Amino acid sequence: MATQNPPVSRTWSFSTVFLIEMWERFGFYGMQVLMVTYMMKKLGFVDTRANLVWGAAAALIYATPAIGGWVGDKLLGTRRTMLMGAVILALGYGLLWMPSDSAGATYFALGVIVVGNGFFKPNAGNLVRKIYEGDETRIDSAFTIYYMAVNIGSMISMTATPWIRDHVANAFGDSMGWHTAFGACSVGLVAGLINYTFMRRMLSHIGSPADQRPVDFKRLALVLLGGLATVFISAFILQSETVAKWCVYGAGVVILGIFVHLIRSSHSSERSGLIAALVLTVQTIFFFIFYAQMATSLNLFAQRNVNLDFNLLGWHITWIPEQYQNLNAIWIVILSPVLVFIYNSLGRIGKDPSVAAKFAWGFAAVALGFFMYGFGANWAVDGKVSSWIMVWGYGLYSLGELLVSGLGLAMIARYVPERMGGFMMGAYYVAVGISQYLGSVLANIAHIPDNITSPLQSLAIYTHLFNILGFVGIGCTAVALAMLPLMKKLSSSHADMAKHDEPLPAVRSEEFDTP
C-alpha cells in the first residue's frame, strides 16, 4: 500500500520531479532540434541517412529505460538512478560541445546520451506515479502537468539553441556556432541539477525500497561498467544502418514477448489491466511514428518549403527553420492546463473519459494536423507555404500528442501493478523507441534527390507524405474507436479486481524481480 502524504507534501514532491524533468528536457530537445540538420550540414549526410541515424539514436534513447527502470527499482533506488542519469546526460551534451565534426565523436556522444536517458527517464516518471498512487483522476492530471514540464523545457531550448548557433556562428565561425548551441544543453541540465540539490529533501519519503538502503558500491560499479559498455554498443549500432534496423525489430519482438509472458503468468487480478496496457501501448507505437516526423520530415520541410516571415499582432517575425519544432512545445504548454481543467471537472461528476477514448480523439487530431500540412500546399506561393499552416498544423498535432503520449505514462500508472512499475515504464519507452525508428523510415518517403532544387518539386514530395500520414491517422482513429468496447470491458474488470485487492501468492512476486 502506497504511503499517503499530505497535499502540500505531494505538491512539493511533484514540483521537485517537475523541475528536474523540465531542465532535462531542455537539454534533450535543444540537442534534438539541431541534430538532423547538423548531420547533414556538418557531417555531410544525405537526408535519408540523417533521418535513419537519428531514428536509431531515438530508438536507443527510448529503449534503455527498460533497463534503467529495473536498476532504479531493484539495485540503486529510483531517486538515485534518476540523479545519476541526469549527470550522465549533462556529460553527453558536454561531449557535443567539444569542437569536433567527426561522425565517430558524434556517435559516441549520442551513446552517452542514450545511457543517461535510460537511467533518468523511467525513474522520473515512476516517482510521479508513486506520489499520486491510488488517485486515478489526479494521476491523469499529474501526468498531463508533468508532460507540460517536458514542453516548458523544450519550448525554451528549441527557441534558444538555433538562435545561439546562428549568432555565435556569425561572430566566431560556423563550427563554433553548432558546438556552442549543444553546450547550452549541458549548461541547462547543470542548472537543473543545482536546483535539485536544494529541493531533494522533498522526495526523501518517495522512492523504491532500494532508496532507503545505503548505497551498494559494488552494485553501483557494475551498473556504471554496464553503462560504459552500452555507450560503445550504441555507437556501433548508430554507424551501421543494417545493425540498427535489426536491433530495433528485435526489440519489438522482445517487448511483445515480455507482455505476453507477464499476461500469462500474472495473477488473475492483474491480467485485465496488463492486457489493457498492451492494447494502449500498441496504439502509442503508432502515434510516435507521427511524432518522429517533427525532427525529420517536418524539420526539413520547414527548411525548404515554408515562408519564414509572418506577422503576429502587428509584429513581423522571422523564424529560423529548426525553431518551427518549437510550435509543438508552445501548443502543449497552452493546451495542458485546459485539458487538466476538463479532466478534473469531468472527474468530479464521474464522467472523465477513459484513456482509450482520449487515445481515439488524439489520433483524430493528429490526422487533421497532417492534412493541414498536406492541403496547405494549395495555398503555397512559389513553393512555400505560410507559417500559419505550420502553426495550426502543429496545434492539432500537439493536441493529439497530449491525448495519446501525454497519457501514455498515466496508462502504465493506472493499469500496471506497482511492483512492475519501473520495469514496465521502461518497456513502454522501448515501444516508443521502436516507433521513432519506424517514423524515420517513413520520413524517407520524402527523400529529396540532389537534382531537385525547385521548391515546387520538393513541396509535392513532402505533401504526398503528409497526406499519407493523414489517412493513416484516420485509420488509427477508426481502430481506436472499434477497440473502445473491449477497453471498457477490460478497465471495468481491472477496477473490480482492484477493489477486492486479492493477495498475491509469494512465489508470484518474485517472478518480476528481473527483466
Side-chain angles (χ1 to χ4, degrees), residues 240-276:
S240 171
E241 291 180 15
T242 302
V243 172
K245 178 177 67 175
W246 286 109
C247 285
V248 169
Y249 296 156
V253 173
V254 169
I255 287 299
L256 180 60
I258 288 171
F259 262 110
V260 171
H261 169 70
L262 292 179
I263 290 168
R264 291 183 60 186
S265 61
S266 62
H267 193 266
S268 58
S269 64
E270 300 168 337
R271 197 163 296 138
S272 57
L274 286 169
I275 295 172

Side-chain angles (χ1 to χ4, degrees), residues 1-5 10 126-140 142-143 410 412-418 494 498-499:
M1 185 69 68
T3 303
Q4 295 298 316
N5 303 304
R10 279 186 170 187
N126 207 23
L127 284 174
V128 175
R129 166 207 167 101
K130 290 174 184 295
I131 292 167
Y132 290 99
E133 190 75 51
D135 189 341
E136 293 203 351
T137 297
R138 291 289 296 278
I139 281 178
D140 278 7
F143 273 105
I412 295 292
R414 174 174 291 184
Y415 292 119
V416 173
E418 181 180 3
H494 171 68
K499 285 179 184 177

Side-chain angles (χ1 to χ4, degrees), residues 356-380:
K358 293 169 185 172
F359 272 39
W361 283 108
F363 279 120
V366 169
L368 288 174
F370 276 100
F371 280 132
M372 177 74 72
Y373 303 131
F375 289 116
N378 294 323
W379 294 275

Side-chain angles (χ1 to χ4, degrees), residues 114-153:
V114 164
V115 171
N117 189 78
F119 289 137
F120 182 91
K121 198 66 182 171
N123 292 292
N126 207 23
L127 284 174
V128 175
R129 166 207 167 101
K130 290 174 184 295
I131 292 167
Y132 290 99
E133 190 75 51
D135 189 341
E136 293 203 351
T137 297
R138 291 289 296 278
I139 281 178
D140 278 7
S141 298
F143 273 105
T144 300
I145 295 173
Y146 177 70
Y147 203 72
M148 186 173 71
V150 170
N151 289 277
I152 290 174

Side-chain angles (χ1 to χ4, degrees), residues 32-271:
Q32 176 185 283
V33 77
L34 298 175
M35 186 53 69
V36 170
T37 316
Y38 172 73
M39 287 189 286
M40 292 176 65
K41 293 187 175 180
K42 297 301 294 180
L43 303 184
F45 292 4
V46 297
D47 57 0
T48 51
R49 185 182 177 193
N51 284 340
L52 287 176
V53 170
W54 173 249
L60 290 167
I61 284 166
Y62 280 95
T64 47
I67 300 171
W70 176 73
V71 170
D73 275 351
K74 303 299 180 184
L75 297 183
L76 301 181
T78 306
R79 295 193 310 272
R80 291 173 186 150
T81 307
M82 179 189 75
L83 181 61
M84 182 172 69
V87 172
I88 294 172
L89 281 166
L91 176 61
Y93 302 135
L95 290 173
L96 289 172
W97 195 349
M98 297 173 66
S100 169
D101 294 329
S102 158
T106 303
Y107 295 149
F108 185 82
L110 286 171
V112 175
I113 293 167
V114 164
V115 171
N117 189 78
F119 289 137
F120 182 91
K121 198 66 182 171
N123 292 292
N126 207 23
L127 284 174
V128 175
R129 166 207 167 101
K130 290 174 184 295
I131 292 167
Y132 290 99
E133 190 75 51
D135 189 341
E136 293 203 351
T137 297
R138 291 289 296 278
I139 281 178
D140 278 7
S141 298
F143 273 105
T144 300
I145 295 173
Y146 177 70
Y147 203 72
M148 186 173 71
V150 170
N151 289 277
I152 290 174
S154 64
M155 180 177 67
I156 298 169
S157 64
M158 286 196 290
T159 301
T161 55
W163 183 88
I164 291 170
R165 178 201 61 194
D166 285 3
H167 281 71
V168 173
N170 289 336
F172 301 102
D174 188 51
S175 185
M176 184 64 73
W178 285 101
H179 293 291
T180 303
F182 287 131
C185 302
S186 183
V187 171
L189 195 46
V190 169
L193 285 165
I194 292 171
N195 180 75
Y196 179 82
T197 300
F198 288 108
M199 296 186 69
R200 68 184 186 279
R201 64 184 180 86
M202 302 298 175
L203 288 173
S204 59
H205 59 293
I206 304 293
S208 63
D211 280 303
Q212 309 307 321
R213 298 192 294 265
V215 177
D216 186 324
F217 287 100
K218 183 178 179 181
R219 285 183 174 182
L220 176 61
L222 289 172
V223 168
L224 290 175
L225 189 62
L228 182 61
T230 304
V231 170
F232 286 100
I233 292 169
S234 298
F236 172 73
I237 291 171
L238 293 177
Q239 59 83 38
S240 171
E241 291 180 15
T242 302
V243 172
K245 178 177 67 175
W246 286 109
C247 285
V248 169
Y249 296 156
V253 173
V254 169
I255 287 299
L256 180 60
I258 288 171
F259 262 110
V260 171
H261 169 70
L262 292 179
I263 290 168
R264 291 183 60 186
S265 61
S266 62
H267 193 266
S268 58
S269 64
E270 300 168 337
R271 197 163 296 138

